[in-house]
Amino acid sequence: MIGIRGIVLFFLIFSLSIFSQPLRIALDEDYAPFSFYDESGNLVGISVDFWKLFSEKTGVEVELVPVKWYRAQELLTEGKIDAIDQIFKTPEREEALSFSRPIFEMRSCVFFRKDLPIGDFSDLSSYIVGALRGEGAVETLRRKNPDVEFEFFDDYSSIVKALKEKKISVFLGDDIVARYYLSKGDILPEFRTLHLETNYLHVAVLRDNESVLSLINVGLSRISERERNEIIRNYIPLALVTPPWLLRVVFYGISAFAIAFGIALSFIYLLKRKVEERTLQLREANEELKAQNEEIEALYQEVSANQEELEKLYGEIRELNERFRESVWKIAKLVFIEDKSRFFFEVGQIVKYLLNVKNLKVILDDRAPEKVEGTVFEISHSNEKHGYIVLEGDLSEDEKGVLESLLTIVSAIYTYRKLISRERKLYRDIVKT
């Protein structure tokens, strides 16, 4: 027998196939990387590709309506659209709207310049906070600090423009989207964040339009998690997720915090130096090009070459950033490794991965090796030598500094593990006595 569930599923699929009118979905026209216009004026992004897949899965034609965000709910009320994409569920909105199942997770944060004395939400009373018109997280921030004053903008591009012109120094935004626009404006390194809340992007319809909501939910159920992640990876190469064990590592010892903090400082310094050097080179090359007004064609070709070099630089930075985060995760796990051979084997693997070197040798001996080919780095802490690392090939001064900082932290972890082992042994001996 087919059963009631089979019959219900059949009619839902049948309703999708006969939906003759295009499903009109409003989305923010300036919400990269989810929806934005490319250089050719085409609407692109995660949400655009998502709704194309929705249409393929259901056979329902979808008409995307890009709008200024503050206009979306007005158009829905006026009946000019059927639903709104990329919208947070809030108590205020639930009074008039019904929401689909969650589609994408999104963190809302307050971004502020690093030089501002802001430690928590109470410190925001002294500043004008920029935000999008119709931004759902505004009420959440007001509940945390009723004294916050807002200046509203039509889109993220306008917010970034105001930041670059120093008209505002603080703004409320969705983490992935805000970082995209700050990076595009070359000002991302100037900002820190306060995490406000973690929410989800939904599709919303008017409360009396449950038929469209059911249609959308059935279509969403046909799109797998793997397909959703493939779309995201086309626009966001690296998803940043805080591992749940990190808090436990910090709780068990200050050494785990020192790992992340120490390597982060060294790594950020290395990235900053690389960006400054390349930026200076590009600026000098650009000034030379401007002086050669008579060679228009040569100017165009050199600017194109500089653009390719800058994109290559961003690629290198992303690769270094990925290696850094992976290394932090691996180093934090060293706290729980008691076996010395395994401990230093993992150290060697981390060094290979972080510095992208192939030929490396770890010597577990407190005596310096006499004859080796390569550069020797000592692993020691508090005048106690644990061993040596031998690297073939040349390292830059910055890379040597990063490696020395890494080995200092690793030595501290190893010493910390030895102390813990001794305390455990002493405790067992006392219990036996």
Side-chain angles (χ1 to χ4, degrees), residues 57-106:
K57 292 280 187 178
T58 63
V60 175
E61 181 182 354
V62 175
E63 178 185 345
L64 297 180
V65 183
V67 297
K68 297 290 185 185
W69 183 243
Y70 67 89
R71 284 277 296 144
Q73 285 189 244
E74 296 176 8
L75 294 176
L76 184 62
T77 304
E78 294 168 0
K80 296 181 179 178
I81 58 173
D82 299 305
I84 304 172
D85 189 16
Q86 307 165 342
I87 188 169
F88 289 162
K89 181 191 293 187
T90 66
E92 295 80 10
R93 288 172 174 169
E94 286 186 289
E95 295 178 2
L97 305 176
S98 295
F99 291 84
S100 72
R101 62 171 61 188
I103 302 178
F104 298 110
E105 182 179 279
M106 183 66 67

Side-chain angles (χ1 to χ4, degrees), residues 164-411:
K164 298 181 78 170
E165 294 174 354
K166 302 299 177 68
K167 293 181 179 179
I168 59 173
S169 297
V170 184
F171 74 98
L172 172 63
D174 299 335
D175 186 67
I176 295 175
V177 179
R179 291 182 185 276
Y180 177 91
Y181 283 95
L182 290 175
S183 176
K184 184 178 179 182
D186 293 328
I187 56 175
L188 177 60
E190 300 176 18
F191 287 84
R192 292 189 295 152
T193 62
L194 286 175
H195 177 229
L196 179 62
E197 64 176 348
T198 298
N199 212 320
Y200 294 88
L201 297 181
H202 298 260
V203 181
V205 301
L206 292 175
R207 288 187 65 86
D208 59 354
N209 202 353
E210 296 299 324
S211 61
V212 172
L213 182 62
S214 299
L215 185 152
I216 291 172
N217 277 329
V218 171
L220 295 179
S221 68
R222 294 186 174 188
I223 300 176
S224 67
E225 187 71 20
R226 180 185 59 80
E227 292 171 321
R228 185 184 290 109
N229 291 334
E230 286 180 357
I231 294 174
I232 294 174
R233 280 194 294 268
N234 290 334
Y235 295 90
I236 307 175
L238 181 63
L240 303 179
V241 180
T242 303
W245 47 261
L246 185 57
L247 293 178
R248 294 197 298 271
V249 174
V250 174
F251 176 79
Y252 286 117
I254 193 65
S255 58
F257 173 77
I259 294 170
F261 184 75
I263 295 183
L265 288 179
S266 302
F267 199 81
I268 290 173
Y269 174 75
L270 177 62
L271 291 179
K272 183 179 179 181
R273 286 284 303 274
K274 282 183 172 291
V275 172
E276 288 176 349
E277 292 173 1
R278 292 293 183 90
T279 302
L280 179 60
Q281 294 173 3
L282 293 175
R283 186 181 295 114
E284 292 173 351
N286 200 34
E287 290 175 355
E288 293 176 1
L289 290 174
K290 289 180 180 179
Q292 299 173 0
N293 293 326
E294 296 179 358
E295 301 178 1
I296 301 296
E297 185 63 27
L299 172 64
Y300 174 78
Q301 304 232 348
E302 198 159 347
V303 169
S304 298
N306 288 338
Q307 179 65 28
E308 291 176 1
E309 186 177 357
L310 184 58
E311 291 175 357
K312 180 180 179 182
L313 170 62
Y314 287 152
E316 293 175 358
I317 291 176
R318 286 194 296 268
E319 181 182 354
L320 289 172
N321 195 33
E322 181 177 358
R323 293 210 306 267
F324 160 68
R325 286 184 170 82
E326 183 68 19
S327 298
V328 170
W329 181 80
K330 291 180 179 179
I331 292 174
K333 293 177 65 177
L334 294 177
V335 177
F336 305 103
I337 299 177
E338 297 184 3
D339 181 73
K340 181 177 180 179
S341 298
R342 185 186 166 199
F343 182 94
F344 285 102
F345 172 78
E346 294 294 337
V347 171
Q349 296 302 309
I350 292 170
V351 173
K352 284 183 178 180
Y353 183 74
L354 181 61
L355 298 181
N356 198 22
V357 296
K358 296 182 178 179
N359 297 321
L360 176 147
K361 183 177 182 182
V362 179
I363 301 175
L364 301 181
D365 197 340
D366 57 0
R367 294 175 298 174
E370 296 180 357
K371 294 182 179 180
V372 294
E373 295 182 0
T375 306
V376 179
F377 294 87
E378 182 180 284
I379 307 174
S380 62
H381 181 73
S382 300
N383 298 323
E384 182 179 357
K385 298 178 181 178
H386 304 304
Y388 300 85
I389 283 184
V390 181
L391 288 176
E392 293 185 9
D394 296 328
L395 296 178
S396 68
E397 292 301 321
D398 290 330
E399 290 173 329
K400 289 180 180 178
V402 169
L403 180 55
E404 290 171 354
S405 299
L406 169 64
L407 295 181
T408 300
I409 294 171
V410 168
S411 300

